[in-house]
Amino acid sequence: MTNGNKSDDDGAAIVLLHGYPFDRSMWREQIDFLTANEFRVLAPDLRGFGEMSGKPQFVADADPGDPERRAEACRTSTTMEGMAGDVAELMDKLAIDQAVICGLSMGGYVAFDFTHLFPERVRGLILAGTRAPADNEEEKQARFQQVEQMRTSGMDEIARSTLPKLLARRTFHEKPEVVARVREMILNANPQGAAAAQRGMAARRDYSDDLAGINLPTLVIVGREDPIRPVADAKFMHERIRDSRLEIIEDAAHMTNMEQPEAFNKAVLGFLQTLAKPAGASPPS
Ligand code: MLT
């Protein structure tokens, strides 16, 4: 889950949270790059995915109006808060007090919940290909349809229908190895874990009201051609998070970090370097 290299400075730790239905391997280029730049990188598999496929699955609706029931659901289910709690536990195990939290899409939802639950543990925030509002009814129904599809035909149909939206035209033409890696990740996902995550995402909070209260340096990243979480979603977050900067990655759709790893890494490194400077020294976004 970690790169094994470490710096003594907690401020140099960064947690990379993968999207759905992927796993930690989507961060390969970032793990290599950030490790080479002396950062301590944690890239965990989230509940239901990769090595965490055996973790407890979604068993109950996590009703935001009932704190006790929600707390129980978080302990036993695949909720975004539960995933955030797993990240905090991992950081405890590794004696990391504070880290930069970077999440892509579903990983971004987990980053929002982590920031809400453990604000003192976040040194900076990177929100890539994600959005703040919760799902509307239609979007929830689409998730439940996917859950049904996974139950009847596993991940094959999901791979076929989602791949065209995940990657930019140029990626399909010029980077067949990236297309193959993304397809493989989807096909290798445990359908039960993926179904649980879909239900967990449908039950997630609306993070829009958190934005004005996020008092942290934040980098918002989006692919110019992302049809899933388009530029407008990124602008919505950037306009409301006071200390944020926006990076739009060209020739990329949803999987910015895999499609354009150099541009993604450059933006992340530039952001991390501003955090190393004394307070107040960051250039305006
Ligand atoms: C992801 O890439 O994690 C998903 O697109 C998130 C979502 O379905 O909302």
Side-chain angles (χ1 to χ4, degrees), residues 18-22 104-107 109 129 131 135 143 166 198 201 204 228-229 254-255:
H18 65 79
Y20 159 95
F22 311 117
L104 185 135
S105 205
M106 179 182 78
Y109 311 151
R131 74 166 187 193
D135 291 346
R143 291 195 192 278
L166 293 170
Q198 274 291 22
M201 286 191 283
R204 76 187 190 279
I228 300 176
R229 297 291 171 252
H254 197 53
M255 307 301 287

Side-chain angles (χ1 to χ4, degrees), residues 104 129 163-172 174-175 178 221-231 247-264:
L104 185 135
L163 208 55
K165 294 183 241 166
L166 293 170
L167 303 170
R169 184 184 291 262
R170 191 151 182 188
T171 307
F172 279 105
E174 295 179 9
K175 302 188 175 177
V178 172
I221 300 179
V222 65
R224 173 79 71 194
E225 298 172 37
D226 189 348
I228 300 176
R229 297 291 171 252
V231 172
E247 185 75 32
I248 301 176
I249 304 218
E250 303 298 335
D251 292 317
H254 197 53
M255 307 301 287
T256 42
N257 69 306
M258 293 179 71
E259 299 182 83
Q260 297 297 339
E262 278 176 23
F264 189 97

Side-chain angles (χ1 to χ4, degrees), residues 28-265:
R28 193 172 72 196
E29 284 79 4
Q30 286 67 47
I31 295 171
D32 291 349
F33 175 80
L34 292 168
T35 302
N37 279 280
E38 309 273 304
F39 289 91
R40 186 176 184 184
V41 185
L42 275 61
D45 282 325
L46 295 169
R47 279 185 198 196
F49 296 94
E51 288 171 11
M52 298 287 278
S53 295
K55 260 282 193 188
Q57 311 281 281
F58 198 91
V59 290
D61 284 330
D63 176 1
D66 181 343
E68 259 178 47
R69 195 156 163 247
R70 194 163 180 91
E72 175 56 21
C74 286
R75 269 194 300 281
T76 58
S77 315
T78 303
T79 56
M80 301 301 105
E81 292 123 306
M83 291 177 179
D86 292 340
V87 173
E89 252 179 53
L90 177 64
M91 287 171 64
D92 288 344
K93 263 192 218 144
L94 297 170
I96 296 172
D97 288 338
Q98 217 187 30
V100 171
I101 306 294
C102 167
L104 185 135
S105 205
M106 179 182 78
Y109 311 151
V110 178
F112 275 125
D113 269 318
F114 187 93
T115 304
H116 182 73
L117 292 169
F118 313 104
E120 71 293 345
R121 304 196 73 168
V122 187
R123 186 177 167 99
L125 199 53
I126 303 175
L127 299 166
T130 195
R131 74 166 187 193
D135 291 346
N136 60 32
E137 263 322 300
E138 200 182 317
E139 289 164 333
K140 283 186 191 174
Q141 288 314 317
R143 291 195 192 278
F144 299 141
Q145 271 168 19
Q146 262 208 22
V147 167
E148 189 50 28
Q149 221 168 33
M150 287 175 221
R151 204 179 60 75
T152 53
S153 52
M155 299 306 289
D156 292 21
E157 179 53 27
I158 310 294
R160 199 197 55 74
S161 61
T162 49
L163 208 55
K165 294 183 241 166
L166 293 170
L167 303 170
R169 184 184 291 262
R170 191 151 182 188
T171 307
F172 279 105
H173 286 151
E174 295 179 9
K175 302 188 175 177
E177 72 292 350
V178 172
V179 181
R181 264 177 74 198
V182 174
R183 184 184 286 115
E184 280 296 291
M185 267 194 296
I186 301 175
L187 293 176
N188 288 338
N190 172 351
Q192 250 194 311
Q198 274 291 22
R199 300 198 62 189
M201 286 191 283
R204 76 187 190 279
R205 288 189 304 118
D206 188 328
Y207 306 115
S208 306
D209 289 341
D210 293 9
L211 300 177
I214 295 180
N215 208 4
L216 289 164
T218 301
L219 171 64
V220 179
I221 300 179
V222 65
R224 173 79 71 194
E225 298 172 37
D226 189 348
I228 300 176
R229 297 291 171 252
V231 172
D233 285 335
K235 286 190 172 159
F236 181 89
M237 296 185 287
H238 172 53
E239 281 158 12
R240 287 162 180 78
I241 301 176
R242 200 171 326 132
D243 185 9
S244 67
R245 56 171 69 188
L246 175 65
E247 185 75 32
I248 301 176
I249 304 218
E250 303 298 335
D251 292 317
H254 197 53
M255 307 301 287
T256 42
N257 69 306
M258 293 179 71
E259 299 182 83
Q260 297 297 339
E262 278 176 23
F264 189 97
N265 290 349

